[in-house]
Every structure is written in structure tokens, then in C-alpha cells.
Amino acid sequence: MKKTLTLILTLFFLATLPKISYSQIINLGTAANYAIYSTGGAVTNSGTIFKTRVTGNVGTSSDPTLPGFGNIDGQLTTVSNLTANTQLNSDLLAAYNDLNTAIPTFFPASLLGNGQTLIPGVYSISVPSVLNLTLTLDGQNNPNAVFIIKVAGSFSTNANAKVKLINGALACNVYWKIEGAVNLGTGTHFKGTIVANNAAIVTNVGDTLEGRAFAIQGAITVTELLAYIPSGCGSATLNGPTAPNLNSAGCFALFTSNGANTNTGISNVIGDVGTNGPSDLTTGYNPLLVSGIIHPIPDLATAQAATELLAAYNYLVGLNPGDVELVRPDLFGHNLVLTPHTYLMLAAVTFTDTLYLDARGNTNAVFVINVNGAFSTNVGSKVLLINGAQAKNVFWKIDGAVSIGSNSIFNGTLIVSGAINLMSGVQLNGRALTISGAINAAAVNVSMPTTCSPQITIQPISQTVCLGNSVSFSVGASGAGLTYQWRKGTVDLVNSASISGATSATLTINPTTSLDAGSDYYVIVSGTYAPSVTSVQVSLLFTYPPVITTQPVPQTLCTGSTVNFNVAATGSNLTYQWRIGTVNLVDGGNISGTTTSILTINPTTLLDVAPNYNVLVSGTCPVALASVDAALNVNTPPLIATQPTSQTLCLGSTANFNVSATG
């Protein structure tokens, strides 16, 4: 009785525990696009301006300025934007209420971290809390796992404290609802969205926030902070704008519509080089170091490129004002991270140190940077591509002279209205194109991100077909003015009665013969622009239809004996079906081997007699072949119907002994 009562009480206790929500949705609304925002306090950046790097919007609804903020990968929203602030405040308050009413699941001590691991759930701390060393949030391999930590007081982290996510936990599913001031100690690596109610948020030098900092009626002060909105949780994929269509201008690595195009020193170039200036020349380029066409004077190709380059330039002009304005062109670079958008700078740009272009896993994402002014980089500056970003998807529209400093690494296509100077040692993974202005290159390396020379995009694959059937090999390729030559070994194939497409993207052989078998089919793809490209070698193998080499023969034998009908055949993956006439035989009783090359009947009976035993032979190739008919005749053994009888007669008489038999 005592054990039963204990069990009942235990079950009752478990049933009354709050249930953990592993997929509780906290809807941030428009606030989801903000990395830093306050509904009623100043938002300030202190320290060295460019050392605060933010991916996401920054805003406040109570201050006409955002002191100290420079370039961020997002919009700056101030009190002047009443419509946006009203919606933001409403959305953030609704999210706070959702967090506030979340039913606690766990009640940890006020000191968090020190190697502690938390599982998904709602945590409630009734006093001020501190994070020390490392706190691990374990998603338990559930991508929808939600962590809500509610602190009824202030919250701070000690220097170099860390929030670590494991087993699928996502920063976008971590929320910190704090009823007091928040202070992140120097060097803290923090994960999740902070919502501080009626209090300020302060971050310190070297802090990293993968999440958001929201203050309801409180100020936010950051100092040299790296903050970025977390991805996942249904966040939209960033595609950026539609890329401009360069058309034939895209075949040029270095081109000016109106101006001299001059090289000094040893420059390596992949792509065409030229000018369309009526009295201008292209000089100084070594043909041995240019993988493309050098146009020394204007011609039909440069005229077409000039027209199509202007169209691309005008398209980029039409993208103003873009998604994001970078407010400090003089502080461009400095390890700024940009995501796929259209960016605008309204003055001359000084590019220092490094710029990161982050595609966030989308290899098709496009970046456009519009500069309404001149553009210059310091020596050794870098544009670096991360998380799937590709040079072919990066475009710089610049209204003014461009100077890329010595030994710089630059990615993307420059589309300029002004002169372009590429200093010694520059590595340009892209193009330098201008609608008006000279180009001066000095011992540089320029490589178009997508060349006009042939590129194989889909390789041919090996084929196995039935002998005599049709077979096709295909290749996919990109490039300008493509031509194809299929080969077998070292021999060029030519169109004939059985071969077609020998100089196209698809080679067809119909019908095939045994002479066509081989492991060395491939195609050479050439184009307007060198070099040619050769595909992988592929095989043509055959399967063969069935051929009966030994037919079954008729059988005559005694009842009760064993009979075997045999067939021999060649072909690929052969199968057999023995029949009487058109009726399939099945194994059972005295019959076996009905689906093999040998049919056995043991013992034979008169019921097995038939004139038309045959076998249907099939294989991989679709034609089935029937053997000749073979008869089975059965001889019965002798049977004495009348026995001889004893005889008694006179001496000298004739005696007859008689017997009658069947068989």
C-alpha cells in the first residue's frame, strides 16, 4: 500500500511540472532586423569608431542622432523616423511580453557558467545574475530548441566569459530577458537576444555579440563591439540585387570606352584588353601574358563593348539609393563585413585595411557598392570573399578616379566613370572597366571571375547500351563562340551514316556496332577565347541480346526415368523460362529447373508426354528468344498379361507354351 501511494504521488508530481517548450516562437517582428535598438534611450558608440562593426540595423526612438556610429551593415534609424519607430516599439514590447509570460521550467542559481550546461527550456533567476567563464547551451540535436533565461534583476558577465552553443543550438533561439542593467565584461563572447527592461545595456572593448541588444526605456552604450544578427530560425536568404548584364563587355578584363589603355612592367591578364577611344591606343601588354584578345585600336568588338558597358553603368546608377548607406566613406574598410545588398557612399572613399564580403552561404548572392565620388585604397588593402561570396557577383560602380594601391587584393568588377590606376603588385580578381578615362596598369595580375574562354560545366558520362541501340554523349559548357570536337582516342570523329553531332555538344551513334566499344571518348571545347578545354574520358560498353547456341533435343525414355532438357545461350544477364507450348512451367512435384538452363523431370510419367517443350531466354537487352520445340516421348516397361501354363500330353505330341505381354 505504501509503495502504491508513493507511485501515485510521484506520477502526480511529474504531471504537474511545467512542460518544456522546445519550439516556443518569440516573434520579434520588425525588430528582428536590428542588432541594436532602444525604445527610449540614447544609443552610443564610443572608442575607435571603425572598431565597432555591426551587421544589422541600429536605432533608437528617443534620439535624433546615433553618436559615434560609422559604417555598419544596416540602416541607422533615429527618432526622426516616426513610422518605423512606432512599429519597432510595438513589436519589441510584444516580444518582451511573450518572454515575460513564458512559464519557467528550471530555477538555477544566480551564478551562471563555470562549465555549466543547460538544456532547452525556460530558466528563471529571482535575483541579479553573473556569468563567469563558460556557459554551454545544448540543443540536444533539435534545431527548434529554445532557451529563455529570465533574470529578475541586473545581469553582468565577467571578463572573457563565453556562451557556447552545441548539438544544434542556434543563437537565434536564445533569449535573455533581464529586469535590470546589463553589462558585458571585456572580451565577452555572447550568444542570443538580450531584452533589458527599464535599464541600460553596456558592452566593452573586445565583446562579440551573435544576437541582438534591445533596451526598453534604457540607453545602450557599445565600445568597439563586433555584433551580428544570427542566421537561421526562418531568417530570409540574402540575395542582393540583380547583377548587371555586361554582355560582350564582360569578355574584357581591362577596358575603357574613351581613353588610353597602358601597361608598364610585367602584367598577367586573363581576358580581353582594349580601348574604344577614337584616338586612343592599347599599349604595353605582352601578348604572351594575355589570355584573351588585345585590341590595340578601336574596332567593332570595342564599339559593342562600349555600348553594353554604358548600359550596365546606367543600370547600377538606377539602383541608388540602395539598401544601405555607409555614412563614413573616409573610414571604409577597417575589417568591415558586408552582406549581399546595394550599398551607397555619397562622397570620395578612402579604403583602409580589409573589407569582408559575406554571402552567408548563398553562392549566387550579389553585392553592389555605389560610390558617388573618387575611390582609393591604401597599400596592401584587401577585399576578401567569405561564406560562398564569388568575385563574379561583386560590382563596384564608382563616379570618379580609381586608384588601387600597390600589392592590394581586390575582388569584383569595377565599372567606373573616371580614370583607373592599378599600382604595382595589384591582384584583381575581376575587371577594370571605365566609360570615360584612361587605364594605367603597372605589373599587375588581372583575372576575370568568369572568363569568356570555354569552361565545362557538365562532364559527359559513360554509357552502357544494348548492341545495336542508339547512344549519346553530352557535354555542358560556357564561353563565347563555342565549338566542339568529339574524339575516340586520338582520332577526330566525323559525321557519317551512324555518327551525328561529332562537332556539337551531343554526340550520337545510331546504330552501334561492336567496333564502337571503347573507354576513350571525350570532347575538346574551343571558343573565341583561348585556351580550349578537354572533357574527361568516358566509356561505351555493350550488353548483348540472347543467342541460343545449343537447342534442346527431343527425348524418348522409359516411364520413371529422369529426363533433362538442356539449352546453351550467350548474352547479358540471361534468364530462362521453360514452357510447354506457351504455358510456363513452375518448379514442383517431379519438375525442377524451370528458370534455369536445364529442365529436369524426375520421375517421368505418361502425363509428361508432350511434343513442344521449349525455353524462353531473356536478358538485359529487350529481345527475348524462344528455343525450338523438343518432344518428350515415354516408353512403358514390358508387362506380362498372360502367363504360360503347365502342359501334360502324350509322348511324341507337340507342346506349346504361350505368353502375352504389353510394352
Side-chain angles (χ1 to χ4, degrees):
M1 179 66 182
K2 184 177 180 180
K3 290 183 178 179
T4 302
L5 181 60
T6 301
L7 178 60
I8 293 173
L9 291 174
T10 301
L11 292 174
F12 175 78
F13 174 74
L14 292 174
T16 57
L17 281 175
K19 294 184 178 179
I20 300 172
S21 173
Y22 289 98
S23 57
Q24 183 166 352
I25 297 175
I26 303 299
N27 186 1
L28 295 175
T30 56
N33 297 320
Y34 281 74
I36 301 171
Y37 184 76
S38 172
T39 66
V43 174
T44 305
N45 176 45
S46 62
T48 304
I49 291 177
F50 58 76
K51 290 187 177 181
T52 289
R53 289 163 286 148
V54 179
T55 297
N57 297 339
V58 175
T60 175
S61 65
S62 66
D63 196 325
T65 62
L66 292 165
F69 279 94
N71 294 325
I72 67 165
D73 185 22
Q75 300 286 354
L76 294 173
T77 302
T78 64
V79 67
S80 60
N81 194 332
L82 180 61
T83 301
N85 288 140
T86 300
Q87 186 64 54
L88 277 166
N89 294 344
S90 175
D91 290 345
L92 188 52
L93 183 59
Y96 167 80
N97 289 333
D98 288 342
L99 294 170
N100 196 42
T101 57
I103 300 173
T105 309
F106 303 106
F107 302 88
S110 61
L111 181 61
L112 296 173
N114 291 327
Q116 179 182 20
T117 297
L118 302 182
I119 63 173
V122 180
Y123 293 80
S124 178
I125 301 173
S126 60
V127 295
S129 177
V130 176
L131 172 63
N132 187 54
L133 298 178
T134 300
L135 173 67
T136 299
L137 304 181
D138 183 353
Q140 299 183 323
N141 299 314
N142 182 352
N144 297 316
V146 174
F147 301 80
I148 298 175
I149 298 97
K150 302 165 64 171
V151 179
S154 62
F155 177 77
S156 62
T157 71
N158 291 334
N160 302 314
K162 295 180 181 179
V163 176
K164 183 180 178 182
L165 306 179
I166 63 173
N167 295 328
L170 299 173
C172 55
N173 278 330
V174 178
Y175 300 90
W176 303 78
K177 188 203 71 98
I178 313 299
E179 297 294 332
V182 174
N183 191 310
L184 302 185
T186 302
T188 293
H189 290 261
F190 204 76
K191 311 280 187 180
T193 295
I194 301 169
V195 181
N197 186 35
N198 289 315
I201 299 175
V202 175
T203 73
N204 290 281
V205 174
D207 287 348
T208 298
L209 171 61
E210 183 185 357
R212 306 171 180 88
F214 294 145
I216 298 176
Q217 300 301 316
I220 301 177
T221 302
V222 301
T223 304
E224 300 181 7
L225 169 70
L226 170 60
Y228 54 99
I229 295 174
S231 58
C233 305
S235 57
T237 299
L238 295 178
N239 295 310
T242 300
N245 188 351
L246 295 174
N247 292 303
S248 67
C251 295
F252 284 83
L254 298 166
F255 177 76
T256 171
S257 297
N258 188 16
N261 190 342
T262 304
N263 174 68
T264 56
I266 299 174
S267 291
N268 294 278
V269 181
I270 297 177
D272 287 1
V273 179
T275 178
N276 196 52
S279 58
D280 297 311
L281 301 175
T282 297
T283 59
Y285 293 94
N286 184 343
L288 297 177
L289 301 179
V290 176
S291 180
I293 300 173
I294 298 175
H295 300 261
I297 60 174
D299 54 28
L300 292 177
T302 62
Q304 182 178 357
T307 299
E308 291 168 346
L309 176 60
L310 181 60
Y313 170 83
N314 288 333
Y315 167 78
L316 293 174
V317 170
L319 292 179
N320 283 340
D323 304 321
V324 178
E325 181 183 345
L326 301 175
V327 298
R328 292 295 302 270
D330 58 318
L331 296 178
F332 190 62
H334 292 292
N335 297 311
L336 178 65
V337 179
L338 299 182
T339 51
H341 288 289
T342 300
Y343 295 89
L344 175 64
M345 287 182 275
L346 294 173
V349 170
T350 301
F351 181 1
T352 304
D353 199 355
T354 302
L355 173 73
Y356 295 93
L357 300 181
D358 181 359
R360 309 195 84 173
N362 181 4
T363 57
N364 295 316
V366 174
F367 301 77
V368 170
I369 299 96
N370 276 327
V371 179
N372 292 352
F375 185 94
S376 63
T377 80
N378 289 342
V379 172
S381 60
K382 298 179 180 67
V383 178
L384 300 181
L385 308 176
I386 60 176
N387 296 326
Q390 298 191 65
K392 68 178 183 178
N393 295 327
V394 179
F395 300 89
W396 304 78
K397 190 277 296 178
I398 299 170
D399 289 331
V402 172
S403 178
I404 308 299
S406 298
N407 301 316
S408 293
I409 298 174
F410 204 86
N411 281 284
T413 295
L414 292 160
I415 300 179
V416 181
S417 176
I420 300 176
N421 287 294
L422 304 178
M423 305 300 186
S424 175
V426 165
Q427 179 180 323
L428 172 59
N429 302 312
R431 308 172 182 88
L433 314 174
T434 175
I435 62 172
S436 179
I439 293 179
N440 293 290
V444 298
N445 292 289
V446 182
S447 176
M448 292 191 306
T450 52
T451 67
C452 289
S453 61
Q455 304 290 318
I456 291 180
T457 57
I458 302 174
Q459 293 282 358
I461 59 175
S462 296
Q463 305 280 354
T464 299
V465 299
C466 292
L467 183 65
N469 285 5
S470 175
V471 67
S472 293
F473 294 105
S474 294
V475 67
S478 62
L482 297 182
T483 61
Y484 305 85
Q485 178 58 64
W486 287 91
R487 310 183 92 193
K488 186 174 185 290
T490 58
V491 178
D492 288 347
L493 297 177
V494 295
N495 293 332
S496 63
S498 61
I499 294 178
S500 60
T503 56
S504 70
T506 299
L507 170 71
T508 299
I509 306 174
N510 185 27
T512 53
T513 71
S514 58
L515 296 176
D516 297 318
S519 60
D520 50 359
Y521 284 89
Y522 62 97
V523 62
I524 299 174
V525 184
S526 304
T528 304
Y529 301 88
S532 299
V533 62
T534 301
S535 75
V536 298
Q537 293 193 8
V538 294
S539 300
L540 173 57
L541 302 176
F542 291 121
T543 55
Y544 297 90
V547 175
I548 295 175
T549 57
T550 303
Q551 297 282 355
V553 297
Q555 305 278 344
T556 300
L557 66 167
C558 295
T559 303
S561 300
T562 299
V563 64
N564 291 315
F565 286 108
N566 297 298
V567 69
T570 60
S572 302
N573 301 317
L574 297 182
T575 62
Y576 305 86
Q577 178 59 61
W578 286 92
R579 309 182 299 178
I580 294 178
T582 59
V583 177
N584 291 340
L585 296 175
V586 295
D587 289 350
N590 65 337
I591 296 178
S592 62
T594 58
T595 57
T596 71
S597 62
I598 301 175
L599 173 68
T600 299
I601 305 174
N602 182 29
T604 55
T605 70
L606 290 175
L607 296 176
D608 298 317
V609 173
N612 53 350
Y613 281 88
N614 65 82
V615 63
L616 191 65
V617 184
S618 304
T620 301
C621 296
V623 178
L625 189 63
S627 72
V628 299
D629 288 340
L632 173 60
N633 295 308
V634 176
N635 293 328
T636 58
L639 177 64
I640 296 176
T642 305
Q643 294 286 349
T645 60
S646 298
Q647 303 282 331
T648 302
L649 69 164
C650 295
L651 183 64
S653 298
T654 300
N656 293 314
F657 290 95
N658 297 307
V659 67
S660 63
T662 62

